[in-house]
Amino acid sequence: MAYYQEFEGIVLFQLPHREKDALVKIFTKEHGKMMFFLKNFQQNNHPLKAASVPFTKAVFLGHISDQGLSFLKDSRDLVHCTSVFEDIYKNAYATYMMHLVDAAIEDRVKSQALYLLLEESLLALQRTNCPQLVVHYFEIKMLSFFGIKLNLSHCAFCQQMEGAFDFSISHQAIICPNHFEQDNYRMHISPKAIHIIRQLSYMTSPKQLGEVHLRQETMNELKRLMDEIYEEYVGIHLKSKKYIDQMVDWEQRVMLIKKET
Ligand SMILES: [Zn+2]
């Protein structure tokens, strides 16, 4: 006898399963991440079609199994991230965010803090004019869920809190110009980009991100810094991240061609 219960969740992704079925991974507020089995999902009139679209938040009714797959029966109060789903860039960024969440914690581990971070970041992505910055906010905040702590508040060698800092991968910290010689491999990131990353780390919600107008060079620097931090400390290689890199690379080549002609 199946026992059904209500829970809130955000759809991370869905996968086709066999010919007619599907698997949907949902990050639930109450029970952590979980894979749900949807029978005959490929039929057009399946009642959970709309609720299973990635990035959708909803209240679900389902059966939570202690082991293996769980089952969904119904849904209500759907919140779709329409602009995220329809915009190729926002869609790619949101997909990457979902995969980062999936990589950061084990299934069935409850984390209200991570749930709130994902929920607020998706909403910010929906509204923003600068999706890349929302993703960098998300990446910075995700580091603690991967067990990584950066020192972005003051120089690794002195108490200096203001100045034209650079970032040192080996010290996991910012370093001030007086101590640049302590790391021959410092990243040579622009002080402006370091300033922005520090600001992002101090924010407690992506709601604090307003309208953003940053130069392309600064955006490139932010990406270089965050990519290096993830490569060195997190070390996961997600397909969705590779897709973003290719997209950005392609976009910049198009911009170069436009400049030249
Ligand atoms: Zn210093």
Side-chain angles (χ1 to χ4, degrees), residues 1 16 33 47 74 81 87 133 140 174 188 204 219 245 251:
M1 183 71 185
K33 297 180 298 151
D74 206 354
C81 284
D87 179 311
L133 203 65
I140 279 280
I174 51 172
H188 294 274
T204 52
M219 297 308 291
D245 294 344
E251 188 191 48

Side-chain angles (χ1 to χ4, degrees), residues 160-166 175-177 191 194-195 198:
Q160 191 65 255
M161 294 177 78
E162 301 290 336
F165 291 109
D166 194 359
I175 47 174
C176 78
I194 299 279
H195 174 74
R198 294 179 76 202

Side-chain angles (χ1 to χ4, degrees), residues 117-151:
L117 173 63
L118 181 63
E119 185 182 22
E120 289 194 333
S121 300
L122 263 182
L123 203 63
L125 196 62
Q126 164 104 337
R127 293 179 178 156
T128 188
N129 70 328
C130 185
Q132 190 187 323
L133 203 65
V134 173
V135 171
H136 291 327
Y137 171 87
F138 187 75
E139 286 175 322
I140 279 280
K141 298 294 173 181
M142 280 302 293
L143 287 173
S144 65
F145 296 100
F146 286 107
I148 290 139
K149 190 164 166 29
L150 303 180
N151 165 15

Side-chain angles (χ1 to χ4, degrees), residues 156-173:
F157 299 94
C158 66
Q159 295 306 308
Q160 191 65 255
M161 294 177 78
E162 301 290 336
F165 291 109
D166 194 359
F167 190 80
S168 163
I169 285 288
S170 59
H171 294 97
Q172 233 163 295

